[in-house]
Amino acid sequence: MRIALSLPRALRHALPSLGAMLIALSGCSKEDGGLIVVSVVGDRDDFAKPLQQLPDPAAKLLLESTAQGFVAFDARGDIVPGLAQRWIVEDDGRSYIFRLRRAFWADGSRVTATAVARLLMARITSLRQLDPDGPLDAVQAVVPMTGEVIEIRMAAARPYMLQMLAQPQMGVLSRDGGTGPYRARRQGGALMLTPVDRSTGDDDAEEEPVPPSRLRVLRAERAALGIVRFREGRSELMLGGRFADVPLLIPAGIDRDAVQIDPVQGLLGLAVVGTGGMLDDDNVRAAINMAIDRSVLPTLFPLGGWTTTDRIVPSDLDLGRAPTAPVWASQSMDERRARASATITRWRADHDDVPALRIALPEGPGATLLFGMLRRDLGAIGLAVDRVAMTASADLRLIDEVAPYDSALWYLGRVGCARKVHCSAAADAALQAASLASTAEERVARIAEAEALMQGHNGYIALGAPVRWSLVSRRLGGFMPSQRARHPLNHLLASPN
């Protein structure tokens, strides 16, 4: 981890007062030394309605902690058993058969294959509306074979199916909650997470006391408050850090050894979501894309190993070739801006009113720095911009998400027509053809076709890989950087030799 030693000038008036937060914390009592206190970036809605709040980090963490799916990610991001104790894959990847472990719902009733199959199929049907060409497109049925065995039948093999099943949104959740690995109970402004005893469904049964080190106190709060809480020794872990909060680390005086960066891939960029003649013009969208100087970003967010990009898909994945480069990729910044400026000048000559572009960005000093860069770059080609909230109507909206599975289809689907992003009908047709392809070769060819069309359409303006970071105390020897930015709370302590 590498952190700059001085603040960018634009940040000096954008930072919130960390001193006021220290005062707010000063009245808090220390938690029991054996408990592991965890802060995660978020708010109360993330805990109250986690499914509706995805992909917020607090919502993800609560779901994976209390509503496990068939499989889960471990501390490194590898697939491990969850609600399913084991599984087999048959019929050339078109049949996944899971044997459920002995588990109980929050009311003490036994978890059955019939109930789980019904819940899972309903969730799959809902998720396919947002990701129609993703790995769930091939699911034909979820069938209870016995009281403890479930089969997922596929129309075609999807090599990343297990990765998808490990996502928080695939957690098995009834009206009263999930099956663990923790039960959550409100405790003041936080949640107390107690590990579920897999041998019984009775939470109040006589049993040995749970060691404090196995308990978790979980808070959802703003990044600035989480940083101060960690610095003051009132928590041992802060999760959910993103690019918008990186500049807070410097004035807070956080030890660089406590900062852990996740080596994630995904999308960090601007989706064109506005309507109207200007954004419907292919040349204008291309001008916006080429005008942005991505080389400035590493100075704004000085994290070791973080990369910028001008492409939707970060690597070949299942494209069968390298990702498509923009037609202007080999041009100098001066050449790109001259070309983009000429495009906007021509547009202005033909139109009386050129409104400011509304850019939706999250809160946080990092987002303020990003907006300043965008305002400068787009202003240089004759476009005015306004910053709006993420929930407001916008022309360009930030996407900041980690890829849940390793396929170009996720990247393309996330910025495709189903997500209300300015899209290419031809690219959307190619994605649908990939989903229906009868051979692996045809599928790869259609994915590659869609990728080239979407890159050329400029409906998504790539900036870089997502930024995910955590603050970790030395006590948590089981914590590891994760390629999925997933840090299960039952894997925080190092296993004894």
Side-chain angles (χ1 to χ4, degrees), residues 165-487:
L165 289 174
Q167 298 305 312
Q169 60 267 35
M170 300 302 294
V172 179
L173 184 66
S174 72
R175 181 175 300 178
D176 296 323
T179 64
Y182 293 97
R183 294 265 191 262
R185 293 177 179 172
R186 179 66 61 179
Q187 181 172 295
L191 295 179
M192 174 65 76
L193 302 185
T194 305
V196 173
D197 182 354
R198 290 171 173 163
S199 65
T200 177
D202 186 357
D203 289 338
D204 298 320
E206 289 294 329
E207 57 183 26
E208 294 184 6
V210 177
S213 62
R214 295 185 61 202
L215 301 175
R216 306 289 182 262
V217 175
L218 182 60
R219 291 186 175 89
E221 55 194 4
R222 288 182 295 146
L225 184 55
I227 290 171
V228 174
R229 191 184 301 278
F230 179 87
R231 188 186 73 177
E232 297 304 299
R234 298 181 181 273
S235 71
E236 291 177 287
L237 179 64
M238 175 190 157
L239 298 172
R242 300 190 176 195
F243 86 96
D245 307 311
V246 167
L248 294 172
L249 296 171
I250 303 166
I254 297 296
D255 185 343
R256 68 178 61 191
D257 291 335
V259 183
Q260 295 289 329
I261 307 298
D262 289 321
V264 298
Q265 292 294 335
L267 294 171
L268 177 63
L270 300 169
V272 180
V273 295
T275 59
M278 187 169 74
L279 291 177
D280 286 342
D281 188 299
D282 293 346
N283 293 323
V284 170
R285 295 195 308 277
I288 294 171
N289 201 349
M290 72 177 72
I292 297 174
D293 185 2
R294 294 157 178 83
S295 68
V296 175
L297 288 169
T299 65
L300 301 182
F301 312 112
L303 304 172
W306 183 65
T307 58
T308 63
T309 187
D310 52 17
R311 296 155 207 203
I312 301 174
V313 181
S315 61
D316 56 358
L317 295 176
D318 46 3
L319 281 175
R321 56 164 174 76
T324 304
V327 295
W328 41 262
S330 61
Q331 297 177 354
S332 69
M333 198 64 238
D334 288 341
E335 292 171 329
R336 286 160 48 184
R337 282 194 175 148
R339 181 179 169 186
S341 181
T343 295
I344 301 304
T345 298
R346 286 194 297 270
W347 175 266
R348 284 185 174 278
D350 295 334
H351 299 81
D352 295 332
D353 183 28
V354 181
L357 289 175
R358 298 163 300 169
I359 304 179
L361 296 172
E363 297 179 355
T368 299
L369 293 176
L370 176 60
F371 178 72
M373 186 196 83
L374 294 171
R375 180 171 54 188
R376 180 204 64 198
D377 289 351
L378 297 181
I381 65 170
L383 290 175
V385 298
D386 291 329
R387 178 178 178 177
V388 299
M390 289 295 290
T391 55
S393 297
D395 299 303
L396 305 176
R397 190 181 308 280
L398 188 82
I399 295 178
D400 180 10
E401 295 182 22
V402 174
Y405 55 92
D406 298 325
S407 172
L409 283 173
W410 178 79
Y411 293 86
L412 303 178
R414 180 59 187 85
V415 294
C417 298
R419 294 300 190 108
K420 309 302 182 183
V421 176
H422 201 295
C423 62
S424 160
D428 195 55
L431 284 178
Q432 295 179 25
S435 179
L436 299 172
S438 57
T439 66
E441 292 77 12
E442 181 186 358
R443 181 176 172 82
V444 169
R446 297 289 79 78
I447 293 173
E449 177 186 0
E451 185 268 348
L453 289 168
M454 292 185 73
Q455 184 70 54
H457 185 75
N458 294 291
Y460 172 73
I461 299 167
L463 299 176
V467 174
R468 295 293 184 270
W469 55 269
S470 306
L471 301 180
V472 187
S473 71
R474 294 181 179 179
R475 177 189 176 194
L476 305 184
F479 183 98
M480 300 180 67
S482 166
Q483 60 183 338
R484 305 291 174 195
R486 302 283 290 281
H487 302 288

Side-chain angles (χ1 to χ4, degrees), residues 68-147:
Q68 62 195 335
F70 283 5
V71 294
F73 289 116
D74 67 7
R76 291 179 298 187
D78 295 331
I79 296 293
V80 295
L83 182 58
Q85 58 184 330
R86 58 181 181 272
W87 61 89
I88 58 173
V89 183
E90 296 184 337
D91 195 17
D92 296 326
R94 290 178 294 183
S95 173
Y96 287 76
I97 300 174
F98 298 88
R99 176 170 290 278
L100 304 183
R101 67 172 70 253
R102 180 179 171 87
F104 299 85
W105 299 113
D107 63 3
S109 61
R110 181 74 180 270
V111 171
T112 65
T114 300
V116 170
R118 174 178 51 81
L119 291 168
L120 187 61
M121 192 65 221
R123 187 70 50 78
I124 288 171
T125 300
S126 175
L127 292 172
R128 280 198 292 220
Q129 297 177 10
L130 290 177
D131 194 10
D133 303 307
L136 301 178
D137 68 330
V139 176
Q140 292 180 313
V142 181
V143 182
M145 301 176 70
T146 71

